[in-house]
Amino acid sequence: MPLRRFLFAVIAAFALTAHAAELRIGLAADVTSLDPHYLNVAPNNNAAWHVFDALVHVDANVRLVPGLAISWRAIDSTTWEFKLRKGVKFHDGSDFTAEDVIFSLERAATLAASPGPFASFVKPITAKQIVDPWTIRLKTAAPYAMLPHDLNSIFIVSKKAATGARTEDFNSARAAVGTGPYKLLRFARGDRVELARNDAYWGGKSAWDKVTLRILPADTARVAALLAGDLDAIENIPTADLTRLKTNANFRLEQKVSWRTMLLHMDQYRDHPPRLSDKTGKPLAKNPFKDARVRLAVSKAINRRAIVERVMEGDAIAAGNLVSPPVFGYVDALKPEIYEPEAAKKLLAEAGYPDGFALTLYAPNDRYVNDEQVAQTVAQMLARVGIQTKVETMPASVYFGRARAGEFSFALLGWGSFSGDLALRALVATPNADKGYGAWNWGRYSNPKVDALLEQGFATLDEKKREALAREAAMLALKDVPVILLHHQLASWAMKKGIAYRPRTDEYTFAHQFRPQ
């Protein structure tokens, strides 16, 4: 090799190695806590996956794969056995054992004052048994096929480090001792999460010695930081910037159909929900959303094709299901509601609202792709059929707490799930804290027949039978318009040339899965 080419190759290799030492990623939503059992929202969970592990992982296509458990099986109709991975160390050098698993399950079930608890994932468990340091058995009151899926959502913490720890202790890094690919160095709320590589990680060393997760909810700031070289990669590319990044040879773009479905919740349990009135501001005699004709009218008033083509610039799919096409339980026969504004007006008149009514649509402005624009567009469409709609948006860090407190009668939510029946359980099943049903059913829709089908499916270990029951429950529920389905998002990432990332259906952005090319 000529000397000049040799020197160039050495310099290039050195530059790549130096670059590989640190990875700077721009996140699109605020991370409010590093306590992995405090608030079950995707931005927090995304950050937590860097520090902690679960018994069960999922791959890029949301298929279950081994995590801290190398295998699991139902040894009888109500008992699951999990074999744990041997030789795993926590960040402080202590051994991971069954004691840490049991402690974590109990902490997730009992953590007080959580605005978005993880308790629903462990509610089915009635007894826990440690067989040996690397084997546990979990009992359920009835046959329950979903336990391995649920345990993907429970992060395992160190019993030694977390006993008596408060959420503040995790945020300060004192109690944030996990088995994940990185150690938490610093969490600066609203700014960044700083991480150092865990060289002893059981899944293999990351390519990056240090990772900084920058919190940049503003789309323009996130894209500008990437273009300026202040970041190496970003998530949630604004649709307006996709073409620019696709055609820029200095960057690489990755996209994939997400599991996230955008939808609208409607209050169906109060007689006089807040911010719902006639057009003069006077209270209505009754709650219009309790009438299925009104719910259907709202759905028919929305032009999903226009939202997909104009607001999302083609980077979405109109939704007729609670889950996107790749997901277990998707029903081909369920199609997006047809845009029929005249039919919507007729339905409103039949329900007793010939002149419509007034409401406020609430939405986050920094959580989903074009969330505020989607809300404004929906408001304009509803106005055309006589529903006078005001839009109020706010940061996700404020929005979700207020939504779960019941402050909103009409609100935007994005939801992703492993399967159609799990989405139904969270979003439309009758709220029941003891069963873990309806945890995100803000409108409190209730249909006992749907609940019964879900219970039957969750007790069925045969996957084909369970999927048939999930599809039957979806068709029954969605016929009643419990929520207004809008579209399925496309997840997107942009990164500097020389870095690769395999896009994930679950939208997570994992530093350890970025690779220098």
Side-chain angles (χ1 to χ4, degrees):
M1 177 186 291
L3 180 61
R4 185 176 179 181
R5 283 183 60 195
F6 174 76
L7 290 174
F8 179 81
V10 170
I11 292 169
F14 176 78
L16 181 61
T17 302
H19 176 76
E22 181 175 1
L23 183 69
R24 303 161 300 171
I25 303 174
L27 301 183
D30 191 18
V31 177
T32 61
S33 177
L34 264 294
D35 182 338
H37 303 142
Y38 176 65
L39 176 59
N40 181 26
V41 292
N44 289 13
N45 296 343
N46 188 97
W49 273 112
H50 290 81
V51 179
F52 304 98
D53 269 317
L55 294 183
V56 180
H57 286 199
V58 296
D59 64 14
N61 297 311
V62 295
R63 291 189 296 260
L64 298 186
V65 294
L68 289 176
I70 58 172
S71 65
W72 50 89
R73 66 189 180 107
I75 60 175
D76 61 45
S77 62
T78 59
T79 307
W80 283 90
E81 182 178 86
F82 292 80
K83 291 288 186 180
L84 307 183
R85 193 177 295 274
K86 296 181 181 180
V88 175
K89 299 284 186 180
F90 281 101
H91 296 156
D92 62 1
S94 60
D95 292 326
F96 157 72
T97 71
E99 293 280 355
D100 302 294
V101 176
I102 301 303
F103 174 84
S104 300
L105 296 177
E106 291 175 350
R107 186 174 189 272
T110 59
L111 188 66
S114 169
F118 288 80
S120 63
F121 300 112
V122 292
K123 282 288 184 184
I125 300 171
T126 57
K128 311 172 189 73
Q129 178 191 2
I130 295 177
V131 178
D132 60 49
W134 296 281
T135 307
I136 63 167
R137 289 179 181 170
L138 303 175
K139 295 282 293 184
T140 58
Y144 184 60
M146 304 308 297
L147 194 60
H149 295 78
D150 285 351
L151 294 186
N152 170 258
S153 296
I154 302 299
F155 292 103
I156 305 304
V157 298
S158 162
K159 180 179 179 180
K160 173 185 172 184
T163 297
R166 301 173 301 168
T167 293
E168 293 81 4
D169 297 317
F170 282 87
N171 293 341
S172 69
R174 187 188 72 79
V177 178
T179 59
Y182 297 98
K183 302 174 184 179
L184 177 62
L185 295 180
R186 184 169 76 100
F187 170 45
R189 173 72 192 276
D191 181 34
R192 66 188 62 207
V193 180
E194 294 180 353
L195 305 162
R197 182 172 64 194
N198 173 19
D199 289 339
Y201 181 51
W202 61 266
K205 288 201 307 185
S206 164
W208 319 101
D209 296 314
K210 181 181 178 182
V211 169
T212 301
L213 305 177
R214 288 281 310 280
I215 299 167
L216 292 168
D219 291 341
T220 53
R222 201 164 60 256
V223 173
L226 177 70
L227 293 172
D230 296 329
L231 294 174
D232 303 304
I234 62 173
E235 63 178 8
N236 280 30
I237 315 307
T239 54
D241 293 297
L242 283 169
T243 300
R244 175 166 56 152
L245 289 169
K246 281 179 182 177
T247 56
N248 189 325
N250 294 318
F251 299 97
R252 178 188 184 95
L253 191 72
E254 295 288 357
Q255 286 183 284
K256 188 169 189 175
V257 176
S258 165
W259 66 354
R260 188 172 307 283
T261 303
M262 301 305 301
L263 54 94
L264 296 164
H265 274 295
M266 300 163 286
D267 186 305
Q268 296 162 65
Y269 67 101
R270 290 176 284 197
D271 292 330
H272 302 286
R275 307 299 291 274
L276 205 59
S277 67
D278 69 15
K279 292 181 178 178
T280 68
K282 294 180 181 178
L284 296 169
K286 56 185 178 180
N287 178 355
F289 289 139
K290 288 187 175 183
D291 191 321
R293 292 171 296 182
V294 173
R295 302 197 297 270
L296 181 58
V298 172
S299 189
K300 285 185 172 295
I302 296 173
N303 187 339
R304 292 160 181 81
R305 180 176 178 182
I307 291 174
V308 167
E309 293 180 354
R310 298 172 195 169
V311 181
M312 302 301 292
E313 300 189 40
D315 284 289
I317 301 170
N321 276 247
L322 279 175
V323 291
S324 58
V327 177
F328 180 95
Y330 181 85
V331 183
D332 288 328
L334 289 173
K335 305 298 182 184
E337 187 64 62
I338 299 172
Y339 173 54
E340 294 180 308
E342 293 307 313
K345 292 177 184 178
K346 184 178 179 181
L347 284 165
L348 288 172
E350 289 176 0
Y353 304 96
D355 300 319
F357 50 89
L359 55 76
T360 297
L361 167 55
Y362 292 88
N365 54 22
D366 61 359
R367 176 61 191 97
Y368 310 114
V369 179
N370 299 340
D371 42 15
E372 184 167 7
Q373 298 96 307
V374 169
Q376 294 288 357
T377 303
V378 167
Q380 294 168 16
M381 293 172 177
L382 295 183
R384 294 180 191 133
V385 302
I387 301 176
Q388 182 178 301
T389 306
K390 179 183 178 182
V391 175
E392 287 192 20
T393 66
M394 63 201 72
S397 57
V398 176
Y399 178 78
F400 286 106
R402 293 185 61 187
R404 292 185 67 84
E407 295 185 30
F408 307 150
S409 302
F410 193 48
L412 181 73
L413 176 66
W415 189 260
S417 187
F418 294 112
S419 63
D421 46 9
L422 287 175
L424 287 164
R425 181 179 72 177
L427 298 169
V428 304
T430 303
N432 185 319
D434 291 334
K435 292 182 178 180
Y437 279 28
W440 291 79
N441 183 353
W442 292 347
R444 299 194 193 176
Y445 167 82
S446 178
N447 186 330
K449 292 182 180 179
V450 172
D451 298 340
L453 284 169
L454 291 176
E455 291 203 16
Q456 186 180 350
F458 293 146
T460 304
L461 297 178
D462 184 301
E463 288 282 281
K464 290 184 178 179
K465 291 180 180 178
R466 188 187 126 226
E467 186 164 27
L469 290 164
R471 288 171 172 161
E472 184 180 351
M475 294 182 73
L476 179 62
L478 295 180
K479 183 180 179 181
D480 211 16
V481 199
V483 296
I484 306 296
L485 300 171
L486 297 176
H487 58 271
H488 308 299
Q489 286 190 170
L490 264 65
S492 59
W493 295 262
M495 61 216 75
K496 290 180 178 179
K497 186 179 180 181
I499 300 175
Y501 188 68
R502 184 182 180 190
R504 297 181 59 89
T505 297
D506 58 18
E507 297 187 358
Y508 282 137
T509 300
F510 291 157
H512 49 293
Q513 293 184 0
F514 282 88
R515 294 283 184 268
Q517 286 189 309

